[in-house]
Amino acid sequence: MSRPERVSHQELAYESDILSEYFADLHIHIGRTNDGHAVKISGSSNLTFANIAKEASERKGIELVGIIDCHSPVVQKDIIDCLESGEMNEVKGGGIAYRGTTILLGSEIEIYEQGKGAAHLLVYFADLPTMQAFTAWMSGHMKNVNLSSQRIYVSGRELQAKVYDMGGIMIPAHVFTPHKGLYGSMTPRMEQVLDPGLVSGIELGLSSDSEMAGLISELDPYTFVTNSDAHSLGKIAREYNRIRLAEPNFAEFRKALERADGRCVTGNYGLNPRLGKYHRTYCHGCSRVLDIEHGGAGCPFCGSTKRVQGVLDRILDIADRKEPYMPAFRPAYHYQVPLEFIPGLGKAKMKQLLERFGTEMSILHHAAEAEIAEVVGTDLARMIVMARNGTLKLTSGGGGTYGKVEGASVSKT
């Protein structure tokens, strides 16, 4: 059967604009360049700029992609090659287009304050010349500007001021994780290290959701996004967003974060937080995920104090509310298990599904259970529907180990 055309978006009128729904994953890393230069050391070697664009567009069905290591000069060389070859082109409003997908040029940067720790911030710019100018500025404050997620030796507020002076936007990354999350490893309150007025949105991360974040009042004004933080091609869109825009580009994305002119995030799609590898506290003494409510300094099983505090436990520690608050503008957070995590759905059956429905987004959002069953049988069809509805049975993750789906371990890359 021939590959179908991508399902058209629901069109919505707003004044003179026609607004449509687009899927977006805004945090994907570069593993290597075409010449073999390492960028994200822990990233896959085939995670190149061009391969990300191809995977997002042709397999995943993601129309707005944030590639986070575009500050690297060796990555910028690959971007220029893609533009000069005609494979890609610059987009009016900001971004670079590959077929039906627009790439936003981003960077993940580590800030550090003595006595508080470190945190990662995401920044985005409209075009390559601006990103190159930002690289030139960062090179005077960073030891190796070619690598991903490097520490910058200026304050968070100074970095913010530079980003917004250059027309960029900034989003704190995976804010609750114990590994370089703003709240998870640096501070109980954002205002202690950043200017809240120079924050465009909040990235939740794999171990949290909107309701959990709703326990912290200073987050009420912000638009939430949830992204894959992919370190391999297969993990693109394991978490993603649905965004209402006139076109997928930088200017429209900025408007969506500001909830301006009808643009907005209309849905967050991600793993149930129980699957996140830092959801609950982990004891190094007895190698247990402490999936229980407990107090005291020591592990309730072995007494050890060598623990990695989980996202849920950290949020409960710093929360200034007993019940979550969800502003009217905040969209629903939809629990999903990515298709590749489903037990029994191997490469051959996945290929058959893609040949029938075109992209993973089409399988997850548009294919009926009966149609899926025609391809892979009733049992797998039921599992896929349960995965996209968030009803699979789960066990909690913690300490760097992902949770499990009905006895199947979730892949770690």
Side-chain angles (χ1 to χ4, degrees):
M1 183 176 291
S2 62
R3 180 187 177 102
E5 293 294 323
R6 182 171 298 173
V7 177
S8 61
H9 306 292
Q10 178 185 6
E11 295 187 339
L12 300 166
Y14 185 86
E15 295 181 353
S16 61
D17 295 324
I18 301 297
L19 304 186
S20 301
E21 304 279 312
Y22 297 91
F23 294 117
D25 181 359
L26 305 160
H27 187 163
I28 301 170
H29 284 282
I30 299 282
R32 299 289 187 276
T33 65
N34 290 339
D35 292 337
H37 292 283
V39 180
K40 186 70 172 180
I41 302 299
S42 57
S44 299
S45 59
N46 64 348
L47 201 62
T48 65
F49 187 85
N51 284 348
I52 292 169
K54 184 175 182 179
E55 180 79 5
S57 179
E58 299 178 12
R59 180 186 175 97
K60 299 293 183 178
I62 295 291
E63 295 119 325
L64 189 66
V65 172
I67 299 185
I68 292 306
D69 300 313
C70 296
H71 69 277
S72 170
V74 291
V75 171
Q76 291 168 6
K77 179 180 180 299
D78 284 356
I79 297 172
I80 292 168
D81 288 345
C82 289
L83 291 171
E84 290 183 344
S85 70
E87 182 181 18
M88 300 184 190
N89 60 277
E90 294 178 286
V91 174
K92 182 180 179 181
I96 293 175
Y98 173 82
R99 298 191 176 182
T101 295
T102 298
I103 300 162
L104 299 181
L105 305 181
S107 177
E108 184 175 49
I109 305 160
E110 180 177 306
I111 59 170
Y112 175 82
E113 288 201 12
Q114 189 68 36
K116 292 186 180 296
H120 287 172
L121 306 176
L122 304 174
V123 303
Y124 304 87
F125 293 102
D127 53 51
L128 185 57
T130 307
M131 180 62 80
Q132 289 172 317
F134 183 65
T135 298
W137 176 78
M138 281 207 302
S139 64
H141 305 283
M142 185 177 286
K143 290 182 178 179
N144 190 342
V145 78
N146 269 303
L147 293 179
S148 173
S149 311
Q150 295 298 288
R151 180 170 296 178
I152 191 165
Y153 292 92
V154 300
S155 70
R157 283 184 170 85
E158 185 177 346
L159 175 61
Q160 286 179 286
K162 186 64 178 179
V163 168
Y164 284 88
D165 282 348
M166 297 182 68
I169 57 179
M170 197 213 74
I171 298 174
H174 44 74
V175 291
F176 298 114
T177 63
H179 181 66
K180 308 297 174 65
L182 181 71
Y183 293 107
S185 66
M186 190 176 199
T187 180
R189 290 292 175 263
M190 181 197 306
E191 63 185 4
Q192 294 180 4
V193 294
L194 296 175
D195 178 352
L198 295 180
V199 172
S200 295
I202 296 292
E203 183 185 67
L204 295 172
L206 299 180
S207 297
S208 63
D209 60 19
S210 300
E211 187 170 284
M212 292 165 65
L215 291 170
I216 299 173
S217 62
E218 72 173 349
L219 294 179
D220 290 351
Y222 299 107
T223 295
F224 291 167
V225 293
T226 188
N227 302 307
S228 68
D229 194 359
H231 288 44
S232 64
L233 289 173
K235 299 303 178 290
I236 294 173
R238 65 177 165 183
E239 299 214 347
Y240 58 94
N241 313 277
R242 189 178 65 239
I243 308 183
R244 185 174 297 158
L245 310 167
E247 298 287 344
N249 61 41
F250 175 86
E252 289 284 310
F253 176 55
R254 183 201 291 275
K255 282 187 174 185
L257 294 175
E258 296 170 350
R259 304 182 299 278
D261 299 335
R263 282 74 167 170
C264 59
V265 174
T266 59
N268 303 122
Y269 295 82
L271 299 171
N272 186 305
R274 290 173 63 87
L275 280 174
K277 62 181 178 178
Y278 297 112
H279 180 60
R280 296 311 302 262
T281 296
Y282 179 84
C283 175
H284 284 290
C286 61
S287 301
R288 289 177 186 258
V289 175
L290 306 182
D291 193 11
I292 56 173
E293 298 297 333
H294 64 91
C299 171
F301 299 104
C302 73
S304 173
T305 58
K306 297 180 179 179
R307 297 183 294 173
V308 177
Q309 188 177 36
V311 165
L312 176 59
D313 305 291
R314 174 61 172 170
I315 290 174
L316 293 176
D317 275 355
I318 66 175
D320 58 352
R321 291 189 178 120
K322 292 185 178 180
E323 297 294 331
Y325 170 70
M326 300 287 282
F329 66 79
R330 186 145 293 142
Y333 191 104
H334 305 276
Y335 294 153
Q336 281 191 352
V337 175
L339 293 171
E340 67 166 330
F341 294 169
I342 297 174
L345 184 57
K347 292 182 178 179
K349 287 186 171 61
M350 190 67 211
K351 181 180 179 182
Q352 292 172 347
L353 287 171
L354 291 171
E355 287 174 348
R356 172 71 178 272
F357 301 110
T359 68
E360 291 187 17
M361 291 298 107
S362 291
I363 298 167
L364 286 168
H365 290 274
H366 304 300
E369 182 174 353
E371 293 176 312
I372 298 172
E374 291 174 2
V375 181
V376 296
T378 56
D379 289 343
L380 264 180
R382 178 181 57 84
M383 289 282 284
I384 290 170
V385 171
M386 291 174 68
R388 71 188 186 188
N389 292 340
T391 56
L392 289 175
K393 294 181 180 179
L394 312 172
T395 59
S396 292
T401 300
Y402 284 96
K404 296 180 180 179
V405 179
E406 291 197 338
S409 296
V410 176
S411 176
K412 295 186 177 182
T413 53

